[in-house]
């Protein structure tokens, strides 16, 4: 049965208009993105198949181009659309952080860092440089490493903070292994970063670790 033949209060578009996007399931949201299904399947049916095949929305968005194109009903156009949605989400959150105090928007900070760092098969170290009002000046990728190690140089973080006239910094890196728990090395480098930044009167507000669906704040753990 086509979606247009469903009862009106069960159609994804009508449900969204009546109740809001948060009222829809993952499959219904994805169906709105897909717009149409394939022969013998509605857009919701195709969405359910995609979620079953990839395991989750997150894994669907992380799927490489060739993997997505192997699914009947998908292709390069849909892949480009998915990547565009991801990039727009990142930019919208970045705009919010340019206006908001990072201290009063921890959820936005975590969501932004998660979008930047999740799904990578290697470690990356990112930094958010903030002004005196703790608004975002710049979000930058500072170091990239192997599957197990990123070489982080505190003096380079400090040098960049000075160049941007930053008053505070939030740093983050990912754990491709899937465990977000801080290692002894993470704790050590955080202490080094804090001490180095203190010399130039720049505050280290947090060090976040991203792994799979989780974001761990070392500040919340009392480790910053």
């Amino acid at each position: 049965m086509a979606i247009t033949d469903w009862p009106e209060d069960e159609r994804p578009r009508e449900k969204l208009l009546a109740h809001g996007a948060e009222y829809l399931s993952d499959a219904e949201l994805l169906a709105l993105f897909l717009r149409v299904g394939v022969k013998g399947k509605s857009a919701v049916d195709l969405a359910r198949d995609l979620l079953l095949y990839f395991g989750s929305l997150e894994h669907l968005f992380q799927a490489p181009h060739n993997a997505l194109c192997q699914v009947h009903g998908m292709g390069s156009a849909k892949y480009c659309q998915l990547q565009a949605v991801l990039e727009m989400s990142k930019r919208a959150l970045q705009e919010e952080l340019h206006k908001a105090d990072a201290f009063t928007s921890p959820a936005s900070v975590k969501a932004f860092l998660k979008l930047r760092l999740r799904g990578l098969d290697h470690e990356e170290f990112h930094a958010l440089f903030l002004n005196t009002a703790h608004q975002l000046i710049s979000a930058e990728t500072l170091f990239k490493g192997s599957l197990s190690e990123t070489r982080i140089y505190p003096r380079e973080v400090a040098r960049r903070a000075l160049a941007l006239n930053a008053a505070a910094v939030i740093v983050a890196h990912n754990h491709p292994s899937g465990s977000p728990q801080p290692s002894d090395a993470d704790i050590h480098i955080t202490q080094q970063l804090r001490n180095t930044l203190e010399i130039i009167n720049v505050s280290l507000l947090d060090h976040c670790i991203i792994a799979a669906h989780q974001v761990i704040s070392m500040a919340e753990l009392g480790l910053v």
Side-chain angles (χ1 to χ4, degrees):
M1 182 185 294
I3 292 177
T4 52
D5 296 325
W6 293 9
E8 188 169 323
D9 61 353
E10 293 183 13
R11 300 175 198 167
R13 186 178 302 172
E14 282 72 10
K15 286 173 68 175
L16 186 149
L17 291 172
H19 305 289
E22 66 277 8
Y23 190 78
L24 275 62
S25 68
D26 289 352
E28 289 170 329
L29 287 170
L30 185 55
L32 284 176
F33 168 81
L34 295 170
R35 295 182 56 225
V36 295
V38 294
K39 187 175 181 180
K41 291 182 181 179
S42 69
V44 173
D45 292 329
L46 178 57
R48 287 171 179 156
D49 285 351
L50 284 166
L51 292 173
L52 183 63
Y53 183 80
F54 289 104
S56 67
L57 275 176
E58 180 176 14
H59 290 144
L60 171 62
F61 275 97
Q62 292 173 4
H65 177 227
N66 61 342
L68 194 70
C69 289
Q70 289 175 4
V71 179
H72 180 54
M74 305 301 288
S76 294
K78 284 290 189 290
Y79 173 81
C80 291
Q81 286 178 281
L82 282 170
Q83 295 308 304
V85 168
L86 268 181
E87 185 59 29
M88 286 190 290
S89 298
K90 291 179 188 176
R91 295 186 187 189
L93 283 168
Q94 185 163 333
E95 287 176 9
E96 181 179 341
L97 293 178
H98 276 294
K99 300 173 185 177
D101 183 330
F103 262 160
T104 61
S105 303
S108 296
V109 172
K110 288 181 178 180
F112 178 63
L113 291 172
K114 188 176 179 182
L115 281 174
R116 284 176 68 94
L117 283 160
R118 69 181 180 184
L120 298 175
D121 62 359
H122 60 279
E123 284 196 15
E124 290 192 2
F125 182 88
H126 292 204
L128 308 184
F129 297 96
L130 312 174
N131 62 19
T132 54
H134 292 161
Q135 296 168 326
L136 183 65
I137 299 171
S138 181
E140 302 184 3
T141 304
L142 296 184
F143 309 109
K144 295 183 180 182
S146 66
L147 281 171
S148 60
E149 181 182 9
T150 297
R151 296 181 63 82
I152 300 168
Y153 299 97
R155 66 180 180 274
E156 296 299 329
V157 180
R159 182 180 300 171
R160 191 64 186 139
L162 284 171
L164 293 168
N165 195 29
V169 179
I170 295 172
V171 298
H173 77 283
N174 62 312
H175 280 180
S177 64
S179 172
Q181 295 305 315
S183 65
D184 290 342
D186 294 334
I187 295 170
H188 178 67
I189 195 64
T190 301
Q191 293 170 343
Q192 284 189 315
L193 282 166
R194 183 189 60 211
N195 294 340
T196 301
L197 290 170
E198 280 181 351
I199 295 172
I200 58 171
N201 294 318
V202 174
S203 300
L204 179 65
L205 300 185
D206 205 348
H207 184 172
C208 295
I209 302 172
I210 291 83
H213 298 278
Q214 295 180 283
V215 181
I216 295 293
S217 162
M218 293 181 66
E220 292 175 358
L221 296 176
L223 298 174
V224 174

